[in-house]
Amino acid sequence: MTVTTNTTIQDVLRKTRAKRPMADIALLKKAYEFAEAAHEGQKRKTGENYMCHCLATAAQLADWGMDDETIMAGLLHDTVEDTDVTIETITKEFGPTVAQLVEGVSKLTKVKYRGIDRYVESLRRMCLAMAKDARVIIIKCADRIHNLRTLDALPPEKQKRIAMESIEIYAAIANRLGMGEIRGQLEDLSFPYILPEEYVWLTKKIEKPYEAKKAYLKNIIAKVKRILKENDIKYVSVHGRGKHLYSLYKKLLQHNRDLSKIYDLIALRIIVKDVADCYTALGLVHEYWTPLKGRIKDYIAQQKPNGYQSLHTTVFCDQGEIVEFQIRTQKMHIENEFGVAAHWQFKANNKKKRGKKKELMPWMKQIEKIQKEAVNEKQFLESMKGDVFKNRIFVFTPQGDVIELPEGATAVDFAYQIHTDLGNHCSGAKVNDKIQNIKTVLKSGDVVEIFSDKKRKGPNPDWLDFVVTNTARSQIKKMTQKPTLTADQ
Ligand code: MN
């Protein structure tokens, strides 16, 4: 694992310009100087200056072609959480959008993986609900990738928790949002911390087959290029793509660890200009090599639930070697790798061009779209429905556990949600470190602590005027009802 990452602001600016020549360099520099001053004197566990982490995060975002606001928020992402800087100051200096992105990332920082299965789903949902702007999740992924790269500096127990959290929450969300490349990076960086022995086993096992396949494909790639040229298909690129380690590992487990059953250890990718060329290229491949039965997949006509588009085919190639081909357009390619993030790439690049405005798919629409197209993962997707989001909030205990409540829920509802006794003896509340009235309406991301008074006889019937959960309502009723002479319950 690499530990040192000496990214400079020059690297960030260079990467930004490479993807987006029209980027606002002065603004990015301003965000850098602001963050640098705020983190002055802070060190990371690796011993590096804290700013190294913010720069690495921003550089990753620049690499992904993200817009100025996202890169600025990447530079500033830890200022509110870890320094005296307030959201108000960020709003004043950099505008409301950057401030909202920074605030969103700070909220997600509180999301912790607790290793309890039933929480995982609610954490995922919370992430999506709290990140009203998908760019928050993209920044969080960039932040995570750098944290994983420097994970060696932390104690083993923490390493494992952070790696689990990255796979169970962030990689899973990246996958849902069609960000295949980002998911792959998160998973591969986490893999050695979660399953160290399996990781070593796998890397050893594939070392030789991988090199052999690479050498073999070199000739095939040259041949494919020649075939495309002869048939007047202008390709953007023909290259081999090694399967991400963790997804290879999962696939191997489904095949009794038999590597010979994995045909896409390295797949051959053909990137062309338009959809028609995709089908022509597929026809040409089949003209030269016989396809395996049942292995031709048209994800262009029928895209995967997360938006993935490509043609796949597996053929008996030269010398009887089995090779998987993946054929797609350049646009599909970028969208397959970056999913939701790709929309900002296209948007950022088109911004300065007059006329043709690229319609940005709204965040919720994207989720709805994923939802509609999904058949297999019904359960997860049901839980992603917009109305569930709209009507639920997610708040934290001081220990970082997540409590899910309906909108409008108060501190009393929260207390009852944790435990009936806590509700009955609830005497006060602290919300985000401030003492608040127990009828305070909570919002997503609040950290709530309840004070209880054991001497208290029971709940106050007046609470019925403001509680919204059935649990609280029925318990308060039960406890405050006058005893009756009849014995009915
Ligand atoms: Mn960070």
Side-chain angles (χ1 to χ4, degrees):
M1 252 345 70
T2 22
V3 173
T4 45
T5 46
N6 291 314
T7 313
T8 64
I9 183 65
Q10 270 65 44
D11 296 329
V12 175
L13 299 179
R14 182 171 40 75
K15 283 168 190 260
T16 304
R17 272 198 217 100
K19 295 268 163 148
R20 294 184 302 112
M22 305 299 276
D24 193 333
I25 298 298
L27 257 182
L28 297 179
K29 276 189 182 158
K30 185 184 166 192
Y32 163 70
E33 277 152 22
F34 184 94
E36 164 95 74
H39 287 295
E40 164 113 68
Q42 287 179 350
K43 295 269 184 218
R44 295 204 97 214
K45 288 268 160 58
T46 54
E48 294 166 305
N49 284 334
Y50 199 90
M51 201 53 205
C52 285
H53 166 65
C54 312
L55 283 164
T57 305
Q60 182 68 266
L61 293 165
D63 252 347
W64 291 340
M66 297 306 292
D67 60 350
D68 290 341
E69 286 167 341
T70 311
I71 300 174
M72 283 159 68
L75 288 163
L76 297 161
H77 81 274
D78 277 327
T79 52
V80 172
E81 186 74 15
D82 296 335
T83 77
D84 297 335
V85 172
T86 62
I87 275 295
E88 288 72 32
T89 314
I90 303 268
T91 311
K92 218 176 78 202
E93 295 290 324
F94 303 102
T97 310
V98 173
Q100 274 158 31
L101 291 173
V102 172
E103 191 175 27
V105 175
S106 306
K107 277 183 175 176
L108 287 190
T109 305
K110 296 188 188 114
V111 177
K112 296 240 159 65
Y113 177 76
R114 298 272 154 192
I116 306 161
D117 283 346
R118 71 193 163 93
Y119 276 133
V120 172
E121 208 47 61
S122 95
L123 285 171
R124 274 186 208 154
R125 273 193 276 157
M126 185 186 55
C127 271
L128 289 165
M130 279 173 40
K132 290 184 196 88
D133 186 330
R135 288 179 290 180
V136 167
I137 289 179
I138 296 161
I139 297 167
K140 193 68 206 170
C141 287
D143 167 59
R144 234 343 123 96
I145 285 171
H146 183 252
N147 284 339
L148 288 168
R149 283 192 209 284
T150 52
L151 210 51
D152 277 349
L154 297 183
E157 208 167 286
K158 238 182 163 182
Q159 290 174 354
K160 210 161 188 168
R161 183 180 63 73
I162 290 174
M164 277 311 278
E165 196 174 274
S166 303
I167 285 196
E168 295 286 351
I169 301 170
Y170 292 105
I173 290 175
N175 185 36
R176 279 342 138 160
L177 301 180
M179 308 191 292
E181 175 56 30
I182 299 173
R183 174 191 83 156
Q185 285 191 37
L186 285 164
E187 286 182 343
D188 285 1
L189 288 166
S190 306
F191 187 19
Y193 293 98
I194 291 169
L195 299 159
E197 281 149 31
E198 296 289 82
Y199 175 81
V200 172
W201 167 78
L202 182 63
T203 43
K204 271 194 190 136
K205 187 179 175 79
I206 65 163
E207 205 183 331
K208 274 183 191 154
Y210 190 87
E211 287 310 314
K213 189 97 180 182
K214 218 164 109 183
Y216 168 82
L217 282 179
K218 218 177 147 191
N219 295 323
I220 304 296
I221 288 171
K223 193 165 176 180
V224 169
K225 284 182 176 173
R226 206 185 62 229
I227 294 168
L228 291 172
K229 257 185 209 151
E230 281 169 9
N231 289 276
D232 289 326
I233 302 285
K234 286 204 182 70
Y235 58 84
V236 179
S237 149
V238 179
H239 63 266
R241 109 47 201 107
K243 197 171 179 64
H244 278 290
L245 262 190
Y246 188 69
S247 69
L248 172 65
Y249 174 70
K250 284 194 295 185
K251 200 167 183 177
L252 265 177
L253 291 187
Q254 290 168 6
H255 291 92
N256 286 321
R257 298 182 179 249
D258 181 357
L259 197 58
S260 70
K261 297 272 162 55
I262 311 289
Y263 301 139
D264 65 339
L265 178 63
I266 305 179
L268 207 153
R269 263 190 195 149
I270 303 177
I271 317 280
V272 291
K273 277 167 70 186
D274 54 36
V275 175
D277 284 351
C278 290
Y279 289 101
T280 312
L282 180 74
L284 288 169
V285 169
H286 288 167
E287 216 170 89
Y288 280 82
W289 299 293
T290 312
L292 267 74
K293 259 196 184 155
R295 299 273 313 188
I296 306 168
K297 286 167 201 150
D298 186 347
Y299 296 122
I300 292 179
Q302 277 190 307
Q303 54 181 261
K304 282 192 184 179
N306 66 4
Y308 179 89
Q309 286 191 296
S310 188
L311 298 175
H312 287 193
T313 186
T314 308
V315 301
F316 294 106
C317 212
D318 293 357
Q319 293 106 43
E321 184 92 16
I322 295 173
V323 176
E324 180 176 313
F325 281 77
Q326 302 174 348
I327 306 166
R328 77 262 311 249
T329 66
Q330 174 76 346
K331 184 168 180 286
M332 287 172 197
H333 183 56
I334 294 171
E335 284 181 336
N336 291 346
E337 306 267 286
F338 295 104
V340 171
H343 294 292
W344 275 277
Q345 294 184 15
F346 293 133
K347 192 192 173 201
N349 271 325
N350 286 351
K351 212 162 146 189
K352 306 273 164 156
K353 279 186 206 154
R354 295 236 167 153
K356 236 179 131 192
K357 249 193 199 161
K358 174 115 191 146
E359 190 58 45
L360 174 70
M361 199 182 292
W363 170 231
M364 286 314 281
K365 243 192 200 160
Q366 178 78 14
I367 290 178
E368 268 170 39
K369 183 171 158 264
I370 297 167
Q371 220 168 282
K372 273 187 206 135
E373 284 158 3
V375 206
N376 299 334
E377 288 161 294
K378 225 180 154 193
Q379 232 194 342
F380 174 79
L381 292 149
E382 256 168 19
S383 69
M384 289 217 328
K385 272 184 189 147
D387 58 341
V388 174
F389 276 169
K390 252 183 252 152
N391 303 322
R392 308 301 287 179
I393 59 162
F394 300 88
V395 290
F396 302 95
T397 68
Q399 290 75 38
D401 286 333
V402 184
I403 306 294
E404 193 183 338
L405 290 163
E407 217 169 59
T410 62
V412 172
D413 291 292
F414 173 87
Y416 275 106
Q417 204 67 31
I418 292 181
H419 199 275
T420 313
D421 259 0
L422 190 62
N424 287 338
H425 298 103
C426 160
S427 64
K430 217 184 203 180
V431 180
N432 302 327
D433 280 331
K434 280 195 200 106
I435 302 281
Q436 298 282 3
N437 192 297
I438 51 169
K439 63 178 177 188
T440 302
V441 174
L442 304 173
K443 50 185 198 315
S444 270
D446 281 347
V447 178
V448 184
E449 189 179 350
I450 297 293
F451 302 117
S452 68
D453 182 357
K454 282 284 166 205
K455 279 177 275 171
R456 195 187 176 102
K457 289 264 161 57
N460 184 335
D462 294 346
W463 291 356
L464 290 171
D465 294 341
F466 58 79
V467 296
V468 299
T469 52
N470 286 330
T471 328
R473 184 165 295 279
S474 62
Q475 193 61 28
I476 297 165
K477 272 188 186 158
K478 193 175 140 197
M479 295 294 288
T480 56
Q481 246 166 22
K482 290 196 184 84
T484 49
L485 294 172
T486 51
D488 78 43
Q489 292 291 308

